[in-house]
Amino acid sequence: MNPAEWLRRTARRQPHAPALYRGATLAGTYAQFARRAAGLGAALAAQGVNPGDRVALFMANRTEYLEALYGIWWAGAAAVPINAKLHAREAAWIVGDAGAGVVFADANSSAALDPVLPDTVDIIAADSPAFTGLRRTAPLDVPRSMDGTDMAWLFYTSGTTGTPKGVMMTCANLASMTLGYFVDVDEVTADDAALYAAPMSHGAGLYNFMHVLRGAAHVVPESGGFDAGEILALAAELGRGKDRVSMFAAPTMVRRLVEVAKARGGTGEGIRTVVYAGGPMYEADIVEAVRVMGPCFVQIYGQGECPMGIAALSRADVANRDHPNWRDRLRSVGTAQTPVRVSVIDGEGRELPTGEVGEIAVRGATVMAGYWNNPEATADTIRDGWLRTGDIGRLDEDGYLTLQDRAKDVIISGGSNIYPREVEEVLLSHPTVREASVVGRPDPEWGEVVVAFVVTDGGGTPEEAALDALCLDHIARFKRPKSYRFVEALPKNNYGKVLKTALRAMLENEQTGGAI
């Protein structure tokens, strides 16, 4: 089922219902939303975009993001959402690998992409007259047909090698995730509103489907991003005296919301549901969040290869303080979502007994179809029908899944994944850097921050400002190290592999008053 068909049905059922908001200002009804998407779909088709082609989106949050997204599907193409925080060169690599001939962008990203993309790629800025004109194209009456096996969403996630891989999500995958949300996460009504404070290229954007199906509103803050004060004020205004706003948030965002609500003497008025994921949530933080804002929190666990869809910890579990195991459950990521089966396995793929620690594996209708043009990585990640997540955890006797560690050394800062290898490769391009290893240091604000251990070649120690400038020229700002440690040698095992556990221990020793 083409997701654009969901929008078309809702627009026919409730054409005058408010659909798109910029802040508290109405930017379009469902009839207008569908008409604009249909116009964009027709314009893409006229430009030669065929069913199955890829069209990229590289822009910050805005209502036009949803219009372009559904326009892509109206044309029968697959959307390639790109994190707006990425460097233009990183985005250009994704566009090239996906074979996208069109990119929807905004003014800033359009200017950055123009010099790094070939002339054969058409860049359409959402805040340009050209975009407005394309929306007015005589529409395709119905979306082009897409089957369950057709790819609809091509999301790029990096592995430990730092090489991005395109996760192929089919229409059936997205439908499974969407229907699972209604069963395991939250219900949605036409009176609700989805507030997009986190990037629409990631989980927040995936949660649009539930609200389109139910005819709920879609709200983008005027800032286009996350400002706790703005979010709380906007939720209260949109709520009109009742809790109707739902949002996806990283733990960092939850902490900021709670801090600002407390400072203002508020309780998060207007917010009905906050789905949190994307990094570790400390027990004390979520306990305080429920105390301040009430039972509005739901935790989910997923990854790009099974987006938002592996496990869920219900609002009842998050708020419960009466169950004898409530602390253990609060530290978990909940139980398996309805469309999937979750298992903990050993190195040979054998299911482990309850309570034993191993790799988390998942299978079911939400699991990706595979990696784009990468059968080797697909075969390595999906074995015997099971997605190997690379995460380490355990299941208890009640089916609650607790994460123990991230086997792939991914650093999660502010809800965004940072892959050490790509940062290390940039640092190694400096002429005086012989070796570099990047690890995450726990941080109460961001969850983790990036710290780089650097070994020079003896030709002098580079200035930190020079390394910063090098990183900013090649990778997104949020990936650059927040601090550097210049060392004589990196700790290694007998096989020459850098012992990142030893580097983390060095940082821990620093924080407890020791010395490197």
Side-chain angles (χ1 to χ4, degrees):
M1 172 63 73
N2 186 337
E5 185 62 37
W6 295 347
L7 173 59
R8 177 173 175 264
R9 291 177 183 178
T10 298
R12 294 174 71 185
R13 185 177 69 246
Q14 47 192 85
H16 305 298
L20 305 173
Y21 282 87
R22 297 187 189 98
T25 302
L26 182 65
T29 64
Y30 263 97
Q32 292 170 321
F33 181 10
R35 170 61 181 84
R36 294 166 188 169
L40 288 170
L44 290 172
Q47 290 182 16
V49 172
N50 295 310
D53 287 351
R54 281 76 57 205
V55 177
L57 301 104
F58 184 48
M59 66 175 93
N61 289 4
R62 55 192 304 137
T63 56
E64 291 88 353
Y65 196 109
L66 289 172
E67 295 173 359
L69 189 62
Y70 277 87
I72 293 168
W73 290 323
W74 216 288
V80 186
I82 303 174
N83 187 347
K85 294 180 181 179
L86 290 185
H87 193 284
R89 290 177 181 170
E90 295 172 302
W93 188 95
I94 291 173
V95 171
D97 187 73
V102 179
V103 181
F104 286 106
D106 53 31
N108 291 333
S109 59
S110 176
L113 280 176
D114 190 56
V116 296
L117 281 179
D119 293 338
T120 53
V121 178
D122 187 16
I123 304 172
I124 303 171
D127 36 16
S128 69
F131 181 85
T132 303
L134 292 176
R135 290 193 314 190
R136 293 172 179 162
T137 302
L140 295 174
D141 291 336
V142 296
R144 284 172 163 173
S145 177
M146 295 176 74
D147 293 329
T149 56
D150 289 330
M151 182 173 68
W153 183 275
L154 182 58
F155 174 75
Y156 276 78
T157 179
S158 296
T160 52
T161 63
T163 303
K165 298 190 292 292
V167 175
M168 298 187 292
M169 301 302 297
T170 65
C171 293
N173 291 148
L174 296 179
S176 173
M177 179 203 70
T178 300
L179 298 177
Y181 180 94
F182 294 132
V183 177
D184 302 304
V185 182
D186 200 21
E187 184 49 86
V188 179
T189 73
D191 195 41
D192 291 333
L195 199 160
Y196 298 95
M200 297 173 78
S201 56
H202 290 57
L206 283 168
Y207 277 170
N208 89 81
F209 299 114
M210 304 77 178
H211 295 81
V212 165
L213 275 169
R214 293 291 192 257
H218 305 262
V219 184
V220 178
E222 290 201 26
S223 67
F226 177 77
D227 177 275
E230 179 187 24
I231 295 300
L232 290 170
L234 184 55
E237 184 174 358
L238 292 168
R240 297 190 298 272
K242 61 181 179 178
D243 297 337
R244 59 188 296 259
V245 172
S246 297
M247 61 183 290
F248 174 80
T252 299
M253 298 164 67
V254 172
R255 287 193 289 272
R256 290 183 178 177
L257 282 173
V258 172
E259 288 169 1
V260 174
K262 286 169 60 178
R264 294 181 174 183
T267 59
E269 293 84 352
I271 295 177
R272 186 172 65 81
T273 304
V274 177
V275 179
Y276 66 92
M281 172 67 84
Y282 298 111
E283 178 188 327
D285 288 335
I286 191 60
V287 169
E288 178 71 352
V290 173
R291 188 189 69 78
V292 173
M293 297 178 60
C296 63
F297 298 96
V298 182
Q299 181 179 195
I300 64 98
Y301 164 55
Q303 56 180 207
E305 292 83 351
C306 186
M308 321 300 278
I310 298 177
L313 188 68
S314 70
R315 72 174 69 229
D317 277 335
V318 174
N320 188 355
R321 303 294 176 266
D322 297 324
H323 194 281
N325 296 333
W326 73 267
R327 288 188 182 277
D328 290 337
R329 290 184 173 183
L330 200 55
R331 296 186 191 111
S332 78
V333 292
T335 58
Q337 292 195 30
T338 300
V340 300
R341 182 184 170 201
V342 173
S343 182
V344 174
I345 59 175
D346 64 13
E348 303 301 319
R350 295 175 297 226
E351 190 168 1
L352 291 170
T354 298
E356 289 198 18
V357 174
E359 183 176 8
I360 298 166
V362 59
R363 68 185 302 162
T366 314
V367 173
M368 68 170 181
Y371 293 115
W372 174 253
N373 287 340
N374 198 337
E376 295 84 6
T378 300
D380 185 57
T381 303
I382 300 179
R383 302 181 215 169
D384 299 322
W386 288 92
L387 170 70
R388 305 292 185 92
T389 67
D391 290 330
I392 303 300
R394 58 181 171 81
L395 284 162
D396 71 11
E397 60 276 7
D398 297 322
Y400 286 79
L401 177 67
T402 299
L403 301 184
Q404 302 292 119
D405 200 358
R406 292 189 304 279
K408 298 178 181 178
D409 287 323
V410 177
I411 299 167
I412 301 180
S413 183
S416 294
N417 284 3
I418 300 171
Y419 298 89
R421 177 68 179 271
E422 62 181 340
V423 183
E424 291 161 0
E425 288 181 347
V426 172
L427 293 174
L428 288 167
S429 69
H430 192 279
T432 66
V433 174
R434 188 173 78 237
E435 292 183 290
S437 186
V438 167
V439 296
R441 182 183 67 204
D443 182 85
E445 175 71 8
W446 296 101
E448 291 180 296
V449 294
V450 179
V451 177
F453 286 82
V454 176
V455 179
T456 66
D457 65 358
T461 301
E463 295 287 338
E464 291 188 12
L467 295 179
D468 266 353
L470 183 65
C471 289
L472 291 173
D473 193 45
H474 290 85
I475 55 176
R477 178 176 292 273
F478 73 92
K479 297 179 182 179
R480 69 185 175 90
K482 296 298 184 292
S483 61
Y484 298 83
R485 302 290 185 273
F486 295 95
V487 295
E488 291 185 3
L490 296 174
K492 298 175 183 175
N493 64 15
N494 291 335
Y495 298 97
K497 183 178 180 180
V498 175
L499 298 172
K500 295 201 173 192
T501 52
L503 297 179
R504 296 188 190 100
M506 290 180 183
L507 294 177
E508 183 176 358
N509 192 41
E510 272 189 17
Q511 292 181 313
T512 56
I516 293 179

